[in-house]
């Protein structure tokens, strides 16, 4: 009589990106205890970390996501970076280059809006997975609707208190969001905290130019719009203070692209 054939253990099905995002949460969260009703993981509930200025409130409107990707973002980028600055396609190329995403990487997109960059990261990290985090429900609803890769999860959370464990990601992007975030330097510290050793960060933010000190431009622009104007060394300096290396900066008009690496 032959030995009975023992079936090998069924391979466990690959967990969904939402489950992977949940597994990284600090404090730990269980699927049953979180709000997933809109296709993203809502970790804020009634809490709203965005500021009271008009530019910040606009990000929560239902109308902006409808025009954001096609009109608002390209026009805003042109105003910020000038006619000779990178266009949308070039910006996407720059983000991918600064982040050097490998296929199996874990990538975080902070202030992901409607997922316009997050989707690129999903394609680049085809064997890994990607999380987009934003505080705006309407932006995230658009991101979920337009999501095309099965390796991307969206989380409603606060950039200044990221809900993830230390060293969770290989690459973190924060494009066009730091200047709207109430506590940008806390958010920057959070991006460094969640980066794994050797991880890369890519930032796009405002940049003061001209004879006036950054603080003057910032006081005027922020009061009117809520958009913060960073000095040329504010972000590079904060990254250096946090121990990041290989810090590079490219200034285009009133914008700055900054990349850096966490030693390890
Ligand atoms: C202009 S959009 C940028 C979207 C995309 N990254 C891009 O480059 O086009 C800025 C986003 O930052 C988000 N945001 C502002 N404050 C935030 C905070 N404290 N936490 C998370 N997201 C925040 C807004 O909701 C908005 O969707």
């Amino acid at each position: 009589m032959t030995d009975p054939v023992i079936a090998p253990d069924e391979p466990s099905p690959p967990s969904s990106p939402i489950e992977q995002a949940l597994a990284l949460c600090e404090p730990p969260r269980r699927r049953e205890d979180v709000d997933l009703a809109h296709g993203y993981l809502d970790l804020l509930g009634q809490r709203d970390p965005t500021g009271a200025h008009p530019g910040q409130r606009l990000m929560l409107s239902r109308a902006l996501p409808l025009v954001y990707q096609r009109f608002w973002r390209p026009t805003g980028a042109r105003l910020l970076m000038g006619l000779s600055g990178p266009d949308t396609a070039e910006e996407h190329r720059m983000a991918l280059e600064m982040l050097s995403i490998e296929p199996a990487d874990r990538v975080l997109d902070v202030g992901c809006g409607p997922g316009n960059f997050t989707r690129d990261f999903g394609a680049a990290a085809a064997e890994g997975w990607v999380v987009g985090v934003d505080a705006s429900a309407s932006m995230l609803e658009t991101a979920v609707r337009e999501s095309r890769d099965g390796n991307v999860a969206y989380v409603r959370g606060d950039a200044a208190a990221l809900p993830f464990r230390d060293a969770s990601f290989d690459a973190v992007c924060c494009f066009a969001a730091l200047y709207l975030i109430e506590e940008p330097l806390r958010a920057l510290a959070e991006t460094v905290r969640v980066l794994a050793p050797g991880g890369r960060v890519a930032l796009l933010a405002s940049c003061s130019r001209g004879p006036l000190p950054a603080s003057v431009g910032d006081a005027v622009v922020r009061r009117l719009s809520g958009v913060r104007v960073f000095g040329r060394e504010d972000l590079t300096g904060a990254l250096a203070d946090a121990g990041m290396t290989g810090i590079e900066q490219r200034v285009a008009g009133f914008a700055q692209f900054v990349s850096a690496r966490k030693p390890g």
Side-chain angles (χ1 to χ4, degrees):
M1 203 171 131
T2 52
D3 289 328
V5 176
I6 298 171
D9 285 340
E10 283 289 309
S12 47
S15 55
S16 71
I18 286 278
E19 268 148 14
Q20 279 157 332
L22 272 171
L24 289 179
C25 278
E26 184 63 51
R29 318 267 183 159
R30 293 183 319 164
R31 194 182 177 101
E32 314 77 87
D33 301 333
V34 294
D35 180 359
L36 279 164
H38 301 285
Y40 57 81
L41 190 55
D42 190 344
L43 299 178
L44 289 179
Q46 297 304 311
R47 212 165 75 69
D48 173 15
T50 53
H53 287 290
Q56 295 168 312
R57 304 315 296 165
L58 191 61
M59 297 294 139
L60 306 181
S61 77
R62 300 215 72 79
L64 186 63
L66 302 177
V67 294
Y68 183 82
Q69 294 172 81
R70 200 166 291 179
F71 303 110
W72 186 273
R73 181 62 166 79
T75 309
R78 209 40 57 238
L79 289 173
L80 195 67
M81 297 180 209
L83 287 176
S84 59
D87 62 11
T88 303
E90 174 64 7
E91 258 195 76
H92 283 245
R93 271 194 298 278
M94 288 172 69
L96 290 170
E97 196 180 304
M98 288 193 280
L99 293 169
S100 320
I101 297 173
E102 298 287 336
D105 275 353
R106 304 155 296 168
V107 183
L108 177 66
D109 189 11
V110 177
C112 64
N116 42 327
F117 283 83
T118 329
R119 288 189 289 277
D120 281 2
F121 307 149
E127 296 155 28
W129 45 272
V130 177
V131 179
V133 66
D134 202 284
S136 163
S138 57
M139 286 286 195
L140 289 173
E141 278 164 32
T142 303
V144 167
R145 207 169 40 245
E146 299 196 3
S147 189
R148 52 174 191 231
D149 294 300
N151 61 342
V152 178
Y154 289 101
V155 174
R156 189 164 164 261
D158 182 5
L162 288 173
F164 306 112
R165 291 203 300 263
D166 296 358
S168 294
F169 296 94
D170 303 299
V172 181
C173 185
C174 184
F175 262 29
L178 274 179
Y179 49 62
L180 288 167
I181 292 171
E182 270 292 275
E183 298 177 89
L185 294 184
R186 238 183 100 188
L188 194 56
E190 282 290 88
T191 67
V192 174
R193 179 183 67 75
V194 301
L195 262 185
R200 290 85 56 199
V201 64
L203 312 172
L204 163 59
S206 53
C207 186
S208 168
R209 297 288 292 272
L212 289 178
S215 54
V216 176
D218 183 50
V220 175
V221 176
R222 184 134 55 102
R223 177 164 305 191
L224 292 174
S225 65
V227 172
R228 189 177 299 260
V229 181
F230 292 104
R232 212 166 163 136
E233 271 111 47
D234 289 352
L235 303 178
T236 52
L239 289 171
D241 289 347
M244 298 288 281
T245 57
I247 299 168
E248 289 184 14
Q249 182 185 50
R250 170 177 165 189
V251 174
F254 292 97
Q256 56 182 316
F257 293 86
V258 176
S259 61
R261 182 177 286 272
K262 191 168 187 171

